[in-house]
Amino acid sequence: MASFWKSPSEIFLAILEEAEKIIGGESVVDLIARCKEMLKLEDLAWSTSDQSPEDRPVYEARLAAWRSKIDEAQVGVHRLMMAQAVGGNWFAVGYRSIEAGEEVIPRRYWPFLTLDLEHATAKGEAGEFRAVRCAFQKDVPADHPIRARVRVANSVSTAAGQPPKLQASRKRGPEPKQLMRVKTEMLRLDRSVLNGMKEEQMVAEFNASRDTCRRARKELSELH
């Protein structure tokens, strides 16, 4: 039986493959593939041209534009990946120290961790988790012992599990400042990612009530 464990990069690629359709009805995968193809065509056009110094800024600007589209798409998928971690779609384990052994990373930690896909590390105020490996909940057999470990890690209260600094810096504020803060944070997300988030994911991502998250998303949608 194949292992259900995946590297962070494999989780990213799986989510990228399943990402909802975005700009002009084009999937993220197709968008990235099209941008990469355009980069090749721009290089080909430049290599077969007279390559005059006057034309080079235009050539480089075109390359930068296509690369920017790729970066934006990948950032959107990464945000979706983090939202799914908070929502419990997938989980991860890693080492903060050899002595402590491999730990389940509680899903409440993810808003405060920076995941490095290439090096399989997750770093934040909770410490640095190394040799991170992941799994989609749906892929784990019902009787596998890791399920119980994940439940225990996620059942600890937020107050007991978060570093003190995080508790102090993430206090919920009164309306309307709270609503404005949430709307500002939502604007940093790709529209398709924001629209696809469940309420519990928004609560964890923006540290606000369901009502505030619903209202913020609704008001932003009315602007488009």
Side-chain angles (χ1 to χ4, degrees), residues 37-177:
E37 184 62 28
M38 292 305 299
L39 284 172
K40 291 180 182 179
L41 292 176
E42 294 288 359
D43 278 334
L44 178 61
W46 175 253
S47 65
T48 56
S49 70
D50 57 10
Q51 299 184 13
S52 64
E54 294 80 7
D55 293 335
R56 188 168 189 87
V58 176
Y59 160 68
E60 292 180 344
R62 287 175 176 171
L63 292 185
W66 290 116
R67 287 170 181 153
S68 177
K69 286 183 178 292
I70 293 175
D71 290 343
E72 288 175 5
Q74 292 177 332
V75 166
V77 173
H78 193 278
R79 286 173 176 159
L80 177 60
M81 180 179 176
M82 293 298 96
Q84 289 192 9
V86 174
N89 296 61
W90 62 273
F91 64 88
V93 297
Y95 292 85
R96 277 190 281 192
S97 69
I98 296 176
E99 292 76 13
E102 192 175 56
E103 303 175 57
V104 173
I105 302 175
R107 64 185 188 178
R108 64 184 176 276
Y109 279 20
W110 284 112
F112 314 111
L113 291 173
T114 299
L115 178 63
D116 186 325
L117 298 176
E118 181 181 357
H119 299 98
T121 60
K123 188 175 183 180
E125 291 189 49
E128 181 175 7
F129 293 89
R130 298 172 179 268
V132 172
R133 54 180 182 152
C134 319
F136 286 107
Q137 283 280 4
K138 62 181 178 62
D139 294 338
V140 182
D143 59 348
H144 197 283
I146 191 63
R147 283 187 172 273
R149 290 179 56 197
V150 171
R151 283 196 297 271
V152 170
N154 290 331
S155 67
V156 178
S157 68
T158 301
Q162 288 185 356
K165 289 184 180 179
L166 295 179
Q167 296 174 48
S169 62
R170 299 282 292 189
K171 288 182 180 179
R172 298 183 179 184
E175 297 284 355
K177 290 183 179 180

Side-chain angles (χ1 to χ4, degrees), residues 2-60:
S3 173
F4 53 79
W5 291 109
K6 290 178 169 58
S7 68
S9 294
E10 289 172 329
I11 293 287
F12 177 87
L13 291 174
I15 293 175
L16 185 148
E17 290 285 347
E18 297 175 357
E20 295 181 359
K21 293 186 178 298
I22 55 171
I23 308 171
E26 188 175 30
S27 72
V28 178
V29 173
D30 291 341
L31 172 63
I32 292 176
R34 180 169 62 85
C35 290
K36 288 183 177 180
E37 184 62 28
M38 292 305 299
L39 284 172
K40 291 180 182 179
L41 292 176
E42 294 288 359
D43 278 334
L44 178 61
W46 175 253
S47 65
T48 56
S49 70
D50 57 10
Q51 299 184 13
S52 64
E54 294 80 7
D55 293 335
R56 188 168 189 87
V58 176
Y59 160 68
E60 292 180 344

